[in-house]
Amino acid sequence: MNTSERTMQLRLAAHISWANTTDRSSRTAAARRASHHTRFLDMARKEHPDATEAELMDIAASKKKAHYQELALKSAQARRAKRELAQKDKARRVKAELAQARSKPAA
């Protein structure tokens, strides 16, 4: 079975599984409990045990924003590094092609 067929088979199984699920909320409850926001809320509770629930929600929201901003920064840095590497590689190839063209005797 090739990759495309395997992907289709897995999608079909997922659709059948969801079609047979009557209580979608209970099926996804564990994932919601373990969501990112819960993680940030847990960190806020640990770091600020005396904070009110409203303050904890604000702290968790800020932690979540900071986390995603950090991911965006790392992504931008990785894209820039990749672009710069590609530009250097292209410059090296062009330089090599020019050197090779100059070294060929004129016909």
Side-chain angles (χ1 to χ4, degrees):
M1 181 180 309
N2 67 27
T3 306
S4 179
E5 290 171 343
R6 178 75 176 139
T7 300
M8 284 189 260
Q9 185 182 40
L10 292 172
R11 286 183 183 164
L12 174 61
H15 288 303
I16 291 170
S17 177
W18 279 107
N20 292 328
T21 300
T22 54
D23 189 2
R24 290 173 175 245
S25 181
S26 67
R27 180 174 172 177
T28 59
R32 286 193 313 279
R33 281 193 304 274
S35 73
H36 283 308
H37 186 70
T38 304
R39 180 180 69 159
F40 296 118
L41 196 53
D42 290 343
M43 289 186 333
R45 281 193 179 107
K46 184 181 280 187
E47 294 172 12
H48 304 278
D50 298 331
T52 66
E53 198 61 31
E55 290 170 335
L56 289 172
M57 294 298 283
D58 290 341
I59 293 166
S62 292
K63 286 188 166 297
K64 184 177 179 180
K65 288 177 185 177
H67 171 72
Y68 283 107
Q69 190 65 49
E70 183 179 22
L71 290 178
L73 174 62
K74 288 180 180 179
S75 175
Q77 290 170 336
R79 287 192 310 272
R80 180 178 37 88
K82 183 178 179 180
R83 183 181 62 246
E84 288 172 355
L85 187 63
Q87 288 171 343
K88 286 179 184 178
D89 185 52
K90 183 177 180 180
R92 182 194 53 78
R93 283 186 281 117
V94 167
K95 187 176 179 180
E97 288 175 10
L98 287 174
Q100 185 180 17
R102 288 183 190 133
S103 66
K104 286 185 181 179

